mmCIF file of all heavy atoms in Angstrom:
data_model
loop_
_atom_site.group_PDB
_atom_site.id
_atom_site.type_symbol
_atom_site.label_atom_id
_atom_site.label_comp_id
_atom_site.label_asym_id
_atom_site.label_seq_id
_atom_site.Cartn_x
_atom_site.Cartn_y
_atom_site.Cartn_z
ATOM 1 N N ARG A 450 -12.743 -14.295 -30.138
ATOM 2 C CA ARG A 450 -12.969 -14.201 -31.587
ATOM 3 C C ARG A 450 -11.652 -14.111 -32.348
ATOM 4 O O ARG A 450 -11.587 -14.724 -33.439
ATOM 5 C CB ARG A 450 -13.802 -12.916 -31.922
ATOM 6 C CG ARG A 450 -15.306 -13.119 -31.644
ATOM 7 C CD ARG A 450 -15.940 -13.979 -32.743
ATOM 8 N NE ARG A 450 -17.390 -14.052 -32.607
ATOM 9 C CZ ARG A 450 -18.223 -13.171 -33.132
ATOM 10 N NH1 ARG A 450 -17.751 -12.085 -33.772
ATOM 11 N NH2 ARG A 450 -19.530 -13.303 -32.975
ATOM 12 N N SER A 451 -10.659 -13.397 -31.902
ATOM 13 C CA SER A 451 -9.465 -13.231 -32.669
ATOM 14 C C SER A 451 -8.601 -14.518 -32.723
ATOM 15 O O SER A 451 -8.768 -15.389 -31.863
ATOM 16 C CB SER A 451 -8.586 -12.090 -32.067
ATOM 17 O OG SER A 451 -7.974 -12.484 -30.844
ATOM 18 N N LEU A 452 -7.771 -14.614 -33.726
ATOM 19 C CA LEU A 452 -7.012 -15.865 -33.928
ATOM 20 C C LEU A 452 -5.939 -16.069 -32.834
ATOM 21 O O LEU A 452 -5.676 -17.186 -32.438
ATOM 22 C CB LEU A 452 -6.354 -15.852 -35.320
ATOM 23 C CG LEU A 452 -7.322 -15.997 -36.510
ATOM 24 C CD1 LEU A 452 -6.561 -15.897 -37.805
ATOM 25 C CD2 LEU A 452 -8.049 -17.341 -36.488
ATOM 26 N N THR A 453 -5.352 -14.956 -32.360
ATOM 27 C CA THR A 453 -4.289 -15.085 -31.406
ATOM 28 C C THR A 453 -4.714 -14.842 -29.969
ATOM 29 O O THR A 453 -4.088 -15.248 -28.995
ATOM 30 C CB THR A 453 -3.178 -14.039 -31.678
ATOM 31 O OG1 THR A 453 -3.731 -12.713 -31.584
ATOM 32 C CG2 THR A 453 -2.616 -14.253 -33.111
ATOM 33 N N GLY A 454 -5.863 -14.177 -29.812
ATOM 34 C CA GLY A 454 -6.337 -13.790 -28.440
ATOM 35 C C GLY A 454 -5.688 -12.506 -27.932
ATOM 36 O O GLY A 454 -6.030 -12.063 -26.843
ATOM 37 N N PHE A 455 -4.789 -11.931 -28.743
ATOM 38 C CA PHE A 455 -4.060 -10.703 -28.231
ATOM 39 C C PHE A 455 -5.049 -9.548 -28.086
ATOM 40 O O PHE A 455 -4.905 -8.725 -27.138
ATOM 41 C CB PHE A 455 -2.887 -10.322 -29.127
ATOM 42 C CG PHE A 455 -2.161 -9.129 -28.623
ATOM 43 C CD1 PHE A 455 -1.270 -9.269 -27.538
ATOM 44 C CD2 PHE A 455 -2.306 -7.900 -29.161
ATOM 45 C CE1 PHE A 455 -0.582 -8.188 -27.015
ATOM 46 C CE2 PHE A 455 -1.625 -6.790 -28.669
ATOM 47 C CZ PHE A 455 -0.766 -6.953 -27.554
ATOM 48 N N HIS A 456 -5.982 -9.381 -29.039
ATOM 49 C CA HIS A 456 -6.967 -8.310 -28.922
ATOM 50 C C HIS A 456 -7.725 -8.389 -27.603
ATOM 51 O O HIS A 456 -7.896 -7.407 -26.879
ATOM 52 C CB HIS A 456 -7.923 -8.301 -30.097
ATOM 53 C CG HIS A 456 -9.086 -7.380 -29.927
ATOM 54 N ND1 HIS A 456 -8.955 -6.030 -29.967
ATOM 55 C CD2 HIS A 456 -10.409 -7.608 -29.598
ATOM 56 C CE1 HIS A 456 -10.169 -5.477 -29.723
ATOM 57 N NE2 HIS A 456 -11.009 -6.423 -29.507
ATOM 58 N N GLU A 457 -8.207 -9.572 -27.281
ATOM 59 C CA GLU A 457 -8.981 -9.787 -26.040
ATOM 60 C C GLU A 457 -8.068 -9.582 -24.832
ATOM 61 O O GLU A 457 -8.557 -9.065 -23.802
ATOM 62 C CB GLU A 457 -9.573 -11.183 -26.066
ATOM 63 C CG GLU A 457 -10.735 -11.318 -27.054
ATOM 64 C CD GLU A 457 -10.302 -11.586 -28.502
ATOM 65 O OE1 GLU A 457 -9.061 -11.688 -28.734
ATOM 66 O OE2 GLU A 457 -11.134 -11.712 -29.331
ATOM 67 N N TYR A 458 -6.817 -9.976 -24.931
ATOM 68 C CA TYR A 458 -5.873 -9.752 -23.825
ATOM 69 C C TYR A 458 -5.724 -8.221 -23.602
ATOM 70 O O TYR A 458 -5.750 -7.778 -22.437
ATOM 71 C CB TYR A 458 -4.529 -10.362 -24.174
ATOM 72 C CG TYR A 458 -3.424 -10.047 -23.197
ATOM 73 C CD1 TYR A 458 -3.333 -10.704 -21.957
ATOM 74 C CD2 TYR A 458 -2.473 -9.064 -23.489
ATOM 75 C CE1 TYR A 458 -2.336 -10.414 -21.091
ATOM 76 C CE2 TYR A 458 -1.463 -8.726 -22.597
ATOM 77 C CZ TYR A 458 -1.386 -9.433 -21.363
ATOM 78 O OH TYR A 458 -0.378 -9.112 -20.480
ATOM 79 N N SER A 459 -5.608 -7.459 -24.717
ATOM 80 C CA SER A 459 -5.471 -6.022 -24.549
ATOM 81 C C SER A 459 -6.693 -5.387 -23.866
ATOM 82 O O SER A 459 -6.565 -4.477 -23.052
ATOM 83 C CB SER A 459 -5.295 -5.382 -25.933
ATOM 84 O OG SER A 459 -4.130 -5.860 -26.563
ATOM 85 N N VAL A 460 -7.857 -5.914 -24.211
ATOM 86 C CA VAL A 460 -9.109 -5.392 -23.597
ATOM 87 C C VAL A 460 -9.112 -5.765 -22.133
ATOM 88 O O VAL A 460 -9.482 -4.963 -21.264
ATOM 89 C CB VAL A 460 -10.329 -6.036 -24.290
ATOM 90 C CG1 VAL A 460 -11.601 -5.754 -23.501
ATOM 91 C CG2 VAL A 460 -10.465 -5.525 -25.693
ATOM 92 N N SER A 461 -8.592 -6.980 -21.741
ATOM 93 C CA SER A 461 -8.582 -7.350 -20.343
ATOM 94 C C SER A 461 -7.661 -6.479 -19.572
ATOM 95 O O SER A 461 -7.899 -6.146 -18.393
ATOM 96 C CB SER A 461 -8.175 -8.852 -20.175
ATOM 97 O OG SER A 461 -6.827 -9.023 -20.422
ATOM 98 N N LYS A 462 -6.581 -6.035 -20.181
ATOM 99 C CA LYS A 462 -5.589 -5.136 -19.488
ATOM 100 C C LYS A 462 -6.163 -3.749 -19.376
ATOM 101 O O LYS A 462 -5.901 -3.045 -18.386
ATOM 102 C CB LYS A 462 -4.260 -5.155 -20.234
ATOM 103 C CG LYS A 462 -3.559 -6.499 -20.223
ATOM 104 C CD LYS A 462 -3.011 -6.839 -18.833
ATOM 105 C CE LYS A 462 -3.720 -7.960 -18.154
ATOM 106 N NZ LYS A 462 -3.095 -8.293 -16.791
ATOM 107 N N LEU A 463 -6.949 -3.291 -20.367
ATOM 108 C CA LEU A 463 -7.715 -2.058 -20.244
ATOM 109 C C LEU A 463 -8.623 -2.165 -18.999
ATOM 110 O O LEU A 463 -8.719 -1.215 -18.180
ATOM 111 C CB LEU A 463 -8.546 -1.817 -21.491
ATOM 112 C CG LEU A 463 -9.669 -0.770 -21.439
ATOM 113 C CD1 LEU A 463 -9.060 0.622 -21.290
ATOM 114 C CD2 LEU A 463 -10.538 -0.843 -22.673
ATOM 115 N N CYS A 464 -9.299 -3.293 -18.867
ATOM 116 C CA CYS A 464 -10.183 -3.482 -17.719
ATOM 117 C C CYS A 464 -9.489 -3.457 -16.386
ATOM 118 O O CYS A 464 -9.987 -2.950 -15.403
ATOM 119 C CB CYS A 464 -10.995 -4.768 -17.921
ATOM 120 S SG CYS A 464 -12.140 -4.768 -19.283
ATOM 121 N N ASN A 465 -8.238 -3.961 -16.353
ATOM 122 C CA ASN A 465 -7.435 -3.939 -15.132
ATOM 123 C C ASN A 465 -7.214 -2.499 -14.690
ATOM 124 O O ASN A 465 -7.350 -2.162 -13.497
ATOM 125 C CB ASN A 465 -6.090 -4.586 -15.363
ATOM 126 C CG ASN A 465 -6.131 -6.097 -15.439
ATOM 127 O OD1 ASN A 465 -5.223 -6.746 -15.959
ATOM 128 N ND2 ASN A 465 -7.160 -6.715 -14.860
ATOM 129 N N ILE A 466 -6.922 -1.595 -15.635
ATOM 130 C CA ILE A 466 -6.649 -0.225 -15.322
ATOM 131 C C ILE A 466 -7.936 0.505 -14.889
ATOM 132 O O ILE A 466 -7.956 1.270 -13.915
ATOM 133 C CB ILE A 466 -5.956 0.477 -16.470
ATOM 134 C CG1 ILE A 466 -4.595 -0.187 -16.750
ATOM 135 C CG2 ILE A 466 -5.719 2.009 -16.117
ATOM 136 C CD1 ILE A 466 -3.909 0.285 -18.003
ATOM 137 N N LEU A 467 -8.987 0.260 -15.635
ATOM 138 C CA LEU A 467 -10.297 0.818 -15.232
ATOM 139 C C LEU A 467 -10.698 0.354 -13.846
ATOM 140 O O LEU A 467 -11.201 1.143 -13.009
ATOM 141 C CB LEU A 467 -11.353 0.396 -16.254
ATOM 142 C CG LEU A 467 -11.275 1.023 -17.672
ATOM 143 C CD1 LEU A 467 -12.180 0.297 -18.627
ATOM 144 C CD2 LEU A 467 -11.629 2.511 -17.595
ATOM 145 N N HIS A 468 -10.444 -0.919 -13.531
ATOM 146 C CA HIS A 468 -10.801 -1.499 -12.237
ATOM 147 C C HIS A 468 -9.996 -0.782 -11.158
ATOM 148 O O HIS A 468 -10.547 -0.425 -10.114
ATOM 149 C CB HIS A 468 -10.535 -3.012 -12.261
ATOM 150 C CG HIS A 468 -10.779 -3.656 -10.944
ATOM 151 N ND1 HIS A 468 -10.133 -4.815 -10.553
ATOM 152 C CD2 HIS A 468 -11.608 -3.403 -9.918
ATOM 153 C CE1 HIS A 468 -10.522 -5.186 -9.403
ATOM 154 N NE2 HIS A 468 -11.449 -4.352 -8.992
ATOM 155 N N ALA A 469 -8.719 -0.615 -11.372
ATOM 156 C CA ALA A 469 -7.845 0.036 -10.378
ATOM 157 C C ALA A 469 -8.351 1.419 -10.071
ATOM 158 O O ALA A 469 -8.433 1.862 -8.900
ATOM 159 C CB ALA A 469 -6.414 0.073 -10.871
ATOM 160 N N GLY A 470 -8.661 2.174 -11.102
ATOM 161 C CA GLY A 470 -9.137 3.569 -10.920
ATOM 162 C C GLY A 470 -10.443 3.607 -10.092
ATOM 163 O O GLY A 470 -10.624 4.399 -9.162
ATOM 164 N N GLU A 471 -11.391 2.703 -10.472
ATOM 165 C CA GLU A 471 -12.675 2.722 -9.825
ATOM 166 C C GLU A 471 -12.574 2.185 -8.375
ATOM 167 O O GLU A 471 -13.272 2.669 -7.447
ATOM 168 C CB GLU A 471 -13.727 1.935 -10.608
ATOM 169 C CG GLU A 471 -15.146 2.093 -10.148
ATOM 170 C CD GLU A 471 -15.733 3.498 -10.349
ATOM 171 O OE1 GLU A 471 -15.039 4.323 -10.998
ATOM 172 O OE2 GLU A 471 -16.798 3.739 -9.846
ATOM 173 N N LEU A 472 -11.718 1.220 -8.172
ATOM 174 C CA LEU A 472 -11.512 0.649 -6.857
ATOM 175 C C LEU A 472 -10.971 1.730 -5.902
ATOM 176 O O LEU A 472 -11.379 1.912 -4.759
ATOM 177 C CB LEU A 472 -10.500 -0.481 -6.917
ATOM 178 C CG LEU A 472 -10.175 -1.203 -5.601
ATOM 179 C CD1 LEU A 472 -11.391 -1.906 -5.001
ATOM 180 C CD2 LEU A 472 -9.037 -2.225 -5.832
ATOM 181 N N ALA A 473 -10.058 2.555 -6.436
ATOM 182 C CA ALA A 473 -9.517 3.668 -5.647
ATOM 183 C C ALA A 473 -10.598 4.708 -5.307
ATOM 184 O O ALA A 473 -10.627 5.201 -4.206
ATOM 185 C CB ALA A 473 -8.339 4.291 -6.386
ATOM 186 N N ARG A 474 -11.423 5.010 -6.297
ATOM 187 C CA ARG A 474 -12.457 6.036 -6.040
ATOM 188 C C ARG A 474 -13.487 5.539 -4.987
ATOM 189 O O ARG A 474 -13.991 6.296 -4.185
ATOM 190 C CB ARG A 474 -13.191 6.351 -7.360
ATOM 191 C CG ARG A 474 -12.368 7.311 -8.255
ATOM 192 C CD ARG A 474 -13.198 7.758 -9.443
ATOM 193 N NE ARG A 474 -13.280 6.678 -10.487
ATOM 194 C CZ ARG A 474 -12.411 6.459 -11.436
ATOM 195 N NH1 ARG A 474 -11.330 7.212 -11.526
ATOM 196 N NH2 ARG A 474 -12.607 5.516 -12.314
ATOM 197 N N ARG A 475 -13.805 4.285 -5.038
ATOM 198 C CA ARG A 475 -14.877 3.743 -4.164
ATOM 199 C C ARG A 475 -14.326 3.366 -2.753
ATOM 200 O O ARG A 475 -15.105 3.170 -1.832
ATOM 201 C CB ARG A 475 -15.537 2.503 -4.777
ATOM 202 C CG ARG A 475 -16.383 2.856 -6.023
ATOM 203 C CD ARG A 475 -16.939 1.641 -6.658
ATOM 204 N NE ARG A 475 -17.673 1.977 -7.901
ATOM 205 C CZ ARG A 475 -18.973 1.763 -8.088
ATOM 206 N NH1 ARG A 475 -19.704 1.213 -7.130
ATOM 207 N NH2 ARG A 475 -19.559 2.080 -9.239
ATOM 208 N N ASN A 476 -12.990 3.210 -2.657
ATOM 209 C CA ASN A 476 -12.427 2.777 -1.397
ATOM 210 C C ASN A 476 -11.200 3.658 -1.026
ATOM 211 O O ASN A 476 -10.063 3.234 -1.197
ATOM 212 C CB ASN A 476 -11.968 1.305 -1.501
ATOM 213 C CG ASN A 476 -13.125 0.389 -1.782
ATOM 214 O OD1 ASN A 476 -13.795 -0.070 -0.855
ATOM 215 N ND2 ASN A 476 -13.351 0.068 -3.050
ATOM 216 N N PRO A 477 -11.461 4.874 -0.586
ATOM 217 C CA PRO A 477 -10.379 5.844 -0.345
ATOM 218 C C PRO A 477 -9.388 5.396 0.775
ATOM 219 O O PRO A 477 -8.285 5.897 0.793
ATOM 220 C CB PRO A 477 -11.093 7.110 0.052
ATOM 221 C CG PRO A 477 -12.454 6.689 0.461
ATOM 222 C CD PRO A 477 -12.795 5.514 -0.374
ATOM 223 N N ALA A 478 -9.746 4.406 1.599
ATOM 224 C CA ALA A 478 -8.855 3.986 2.638
ATOM 225 C C ALA A 478 -7.829 2.976 2.155
ATOM 226 O O ALA A 478 -6.916 2.609 2.864
ATOM 227 C CB ALA A 478 -9.641 3.406 3.793
ATOM 228 N N ILE A 479 -7.959 2.518 0.883
ATOM 229 C CA ILE A 479 -7.063 1.551 0.305
ATOM 230 C C ILE A 479 -6.206 2.205 -0.802
ATOM 231 O O ILE A 479 -6.782 2.885 -1.676
ATOM 232 C CB ILE A 479 -7.834 0.343 -0.268
ATOM 233 C CG1 ILE A 479 -8.638 -0.347 0.836
ATOM 234 C CG2 ILE A 479 -6.911 -0.618 -0.923
ATOM 235 C CD1 ILE A 479 -9.556 -1.463 0.336
ATOM 236 N N GLU A 480 -4.946 2.058 -0.757
ATOM 237 C CA GLU A 480 -4.089 2.543 -1.842
ATOM 238 C C GLU A 480 -4.140 1.515 -2.975
ATOM 239 O O GLU A 480 -3.908 0.324 -2.751
ATOM 240 C CB GLU A 480 -2.676 2.723 -1.394
ATOM 241 C CG GLU A 480 -2.456 3.907 -0.433
ATOM 242 C CD GLU A 480 -1.025 4.150 -0.053
ATOM 243 O OE1 GLU A 480 -0.197 3.166 -0.214
ATOM 244 O OE2 GLU A 480 -0.691 5.232 0.434
ATOM 245 N N VAL A 481 -4.336 1.988 -4.184
ATOM 246 C CA VAL A 481 -4.464 1.121 -5.374
ATOM 247 C C VAL A 481 -3.572 1.619 -6.478
ATOM 248 O O VAL A 481 -3.514 2.816 -6.726
ATOM 249 C CB VAL A 481 -5.897 1.044 -5.866
ATOM 250 C CG1 VAL A 481 -6.054 0.019 -6.996
ATOM 251 C CG2 VAL A 481 -6.921 0.766 -4.762
ATOM 252 N N ALA A 482 -2.854 0.732 -7.111
ATOM 253 C CA ALA A 482 -2.021 1.089 -8.256
ATOM 254 C C ALA A 482 -2.039 -0.039 -9.295
ATOM 255 O O ALA A 482 -2.113 -1.175 -8.935
ATOM 256 C CB ALA A 482 -0.589 1.362 -7.826
ATOM 257 N N ALA A 483 -2.011 0.405 -10.540
ATOM 258 C CA ALA A 483 -1.836 -0.564 -11.657
ATOM 259 C C ALA A 483 -0.461 -0.366 -12.258
ATOM 260 O O ALA A 483 0.010 0.781 -12.354
ATOM 261 C CB ALA A 483 -2.941 -0.342 -12.709
ATOM 262 N N VAL A 484 0.189 -1.464 -12.692
ATOM 263 C CA VAL A 484 1.537 -1.329 -13.208
ATOM 264 C C VAL A 484 1.762 -2.205 -14.421
ATOM 265 O O VAL A 484 1.340 -3.374 -14.479
ATOM 266 C CB VAL A 484 2.553 -1.635 -12.108
ATOM 267 C CG1 VAL A 484 2.322 -3.051 -11.482
ATOM 268 C CG2 VAL A 484 4.015 -1.500 -12.594
ATOM 269 N N HIS A 485 2.424 -1.643 -15.407
ATOM 270 C CA HIS A 485 2.943 -2.398 -16.573
ATOM 271 C C HIS A 485 4.368 -2.841 -16.197
ATOM 272 O O HIS A 485 5.246 -1.986 -16.006
ATOM 273 C CB HIS A 485 2.919 -1.523 -17.814
ATOM 274 C CG HIS A 485 3.755 -2.090 -18.954
ATOM 275 N ND1 HIS A 485 3.460 -3.333 -19.531
ATOM 276 C CD2 HIS A 485 4.855 -1.604 -19.634
ATOM 277 C CE1 HIS A 485 4.342 -3.530 -20.485
ATOM 278 N NE2 HIS A 485 5.231 -2.511 -20.589
ATOM 279 N N PRO A 486 4.644 -4.124 -16.091
ATOM 280 C CA PRO A 486 5.954 -4.611 -15.643
ATOM 281 C C PRO A 486 7.010 -4.594 -16.744
ATOM 282 O O PRO A 486 8.188 -4.954 -16.478
ATOM 283 C CB PRO A 486 5.655 -5.984 -15.149
ATOM 284 C CG PRO A 486 4.561 -6.463 -16.033
ATOM 285 C CD PRO A 486 3.695 -5.282 -16.325
ATOM 286 N N GLY A 487 6.626 -4.286 -17.971
ATOM 287 C CA GLY A 487 7.511 -4.478 -19.099
ATOM 288 C C GLY A 487 7.048 -5.679 -19.910
ATOM 289 O O GLY A 487 6.137 -6.399 -19.540
ATOM 290 N N VAL A 488 7.696 -5.912 -21.018
ATOM 291 C CA VAL A 488 7.379 -7.085 -21.854
ATOM 292 C C VAL A 488 8.316 -8.178 -21.371
ATOM 293 O O VAL A 488 9.493 -8.131 -21.603
ATOM 294 C CB VAL A 488 7.572 -6.750 -23.353
ATOM 295 C CG1 VAL A 488 7.182 -7.971 -24.185
ATOM 296 C CG2 VAL A 488 6.715 -5.569 -23.790
ATOM 297 N N VAL A 489 7.768 -9.206 -20.779
ATOM 298 C CA VAL A 489 8.495 -10.183 -20.012
ATOM 299 C C VAL A 489 8.345 -11.589 -20.592
ATOM 300 O O VAL A 489 7.235 -11.970 -21.022
ATOM 301 C CB VAL A 489 8.025 -10.163 -18.536
ATOM 302 C CG1 VAL A 489 8.857 -11.161 -17.681
ATOM 303 C CG2 VAL A 489 8.111 -8.788 -17.980
ATOM 304 N N ALA A 490 9.416 -12.327 -20.641
ATOM 305 C CA ALA A 490 9.396 -13.699 -21.131
ATOM 306 C C ALA A 490 8.829 -14.620 -20.035
ATOM 307 O O ALA A 490 9.533 -15.052 -19.084
ATOM 308 C CB ALA A 490 10.773 -14.144 -21.531
ATOM 309 N N THR A 491 7.530 -14.880 -20.130
ATOM 310 C CA THR A 491 6.847 -15.718 -19.121
ATOM 311 C C THR A 491 6.014 -16.783 -19.834
ATOM 312 O O THR A 491 5.881 -16.822 -21.063
ATOM 313 C CB THR A 491 5.915 -14.888 -18.202
ATOM 314 O OG1 THR A 491 4.807 -14.425 -18.972
ATOM 315 C CG2 THR A 491 6.673 -13.699 -17.599
#
């Protein structure tokens, strides 16, 4: 919906962190981490 797509990108990154947390809770034998790498020119 947004003109730049940045709002939706932010939501997707929220989902990445939620996913990491729930993946860790459901799979205790697997180490899971989410990381912000910085603001990178890519």
Side-chain angles (χ1 to χ4, degrees):
R450 281 285 186 87
S451 72
L452 290 177
T453 63
F455 182 76
H456 169 72
E457 289 81 1
Y458 172 79
S459 300
V460 169
S461 75
K462 295 289 111 177
L463 165 68
C464 292
N465 285 159
I466 299 171
L467 290 167
H468 178 208
E471 190 67 9
L472 180 64
R474 283 186 285 272
R475 292 178 183 240
N476 298 274
I479 300 175
E480 289 183 342
V481 186
V484 57
H485 166 61
V488 182
V489 183
T491 69

